[in-house]
Amino acid sequence: SDSKDADVEEPKEKKKNEGDWCETLEDLGKVYREKDNRWIQRIVFSGRMHNQWGYTDGSDNGRDFSNDGYELRRLRLGVDIEVLANFTFPTPANFNRGDFRDTSIGYDGLDQMVLEYDFDEIGPFDKVRIGYGRHKIGFGGEENMSSNQIKTIERSVLNDEFAGERVTGFQGSFEVGDNIDFLWGIYST
């Protein structure tokens, strides 16, 4: 054999996914992704379901009690589309219509629907974005954080008071460094 061929590594055969369910879940909603396509770069279907079940029992002033209850807190389905290189269009919709002990399912309105343009970086600013549509207002950061990551039992009263309901309008955001986020908006309410 030639000595220069001895230094060349043989290409390794790529392993097939033989039951790694974590990888399957990561790619579950991705139906299309092609970064070099000039029209549509990505289409991803998403879903989220949040349930709660509770049981209590005890005694209060000599009275015994026990009870249980179930609640479908969130059921969201949506599609996230990336088009024309820097535009994104997420549209998650709510499908939980019930309340405590009522697990009714049906269309209950859009959670968000925003056409957003990502500038990436402009000068010293990172993650510069501007968009129009139905937004979650980023007041304290809690509304954009999964309830699995919040260190408290529920979102704060202060955040619920000022973040409020979804609003329609223009919204922009950018970051400076690793720890400073700015958000501005002009909304219909």
Side-chain angles (χ1 to χ4, degrees):
S1 90
D2 195 345
S3 63
K4 67 179 180 181
D5 290 338
D7 294 337
V8 177
E9 280 187 37
E10 290 293 319
K12 293 181 181 178
E13 187 176 314
K14 188 174 181 180
K15 286 187 173 182
K16 292 181 181 177
N17 182 351
E18 306 232 355
D20 184 349
W21 61 275
C22 290
E23 283 184 26
T24 302
L25 289 176
E26 287 176 2
D27 295 335
L28 189 63
K30 295 176 185 172
V31 294
Y32 177 81
R33 183 173 189 103
E34 188 177 324
K35 288 186 175 188
D36 296 332
N37 186 318
R38 58 191 257 194
W39 303 107
I40 299 174
Q41 290 74 48
R42 180 173 51 101
I43 300 173
V44 178
F45 290 106
S46 62
R48 179 174 184 197
M49 188 166 143
H50 178 180
N51 300 307
Q52 287 183 181
W53 182 80
Y55 173 78
T56 58
D57 69 352
S59 175
D60 182 27
N61 292 328
R63 292 183 333 179
D64 291 337
F65 63 87
S66 76
N67 206 343
D68 63 58
Y70 172 79
E71 182 176 7
L72 176 61
R73 295 283 308 251
R74 285 178 200 87
L75 180 58
R76 289 192 187 130
L77 301 171
V79 65
D80 188 352
I81 301 173
E82 185 178 330
V83 295
L84 303 175
N86 290 17
F87 282 97
T88 57
F89 189 61
T91 58
N94 295 309
F95 287 91
N96 54 307
R97 298 186 76 176
D99 207 348
F100 191 65
R101 292 195 179 117
D102 179 4
T103 57
S104 300
I105 295 174
Y107 178 74
D108 194 37
L110 288 171
D111 183 55
Q112 295 181 81
M113 188 167 89
V114 179
L115 180 60
E116 188 172 63
Y117 186 80
D118 185 352
F119 292 94
D120 196 25
E121 295 179 11
I122 298 178
F125 308 117
D126 298 322
K127 297 183 182 177
V128 180
R129 295 185 176 115
I130 187 168
Y132 177 80
R134 182 178 166 93
H135 296 274
K136 286 183 183 180
I137 299 177
F139 175 74
E142 295 176 19
E143 61 285 327
N144 293 320
M145 182 183 295
S146 169
S147 55
N148 295 330
Q149 295 173 335
I150 295 175
K151 303 289 187 235
T152 60
I153 293 172
E154 192 59 66
R155 288 176 169 81
S156 69
V157 174
L158 185 63
N159 193 78
D160 285 346
E161 180 67 27
F162 289 102
E165 297 296 318
R166 308 298 186 256
V167 293
T168 301
F170 288 95
Q171 180 172 290
S173 63
F174 62 90
E175 294 180 6
V176 178
D178 292 334
N179 297 318
I180 303 173
D181 299 344
F182 289 91
L183 177 91
W184 61 269
I186 302 170
Y187 307 108
S188 62
T189 57

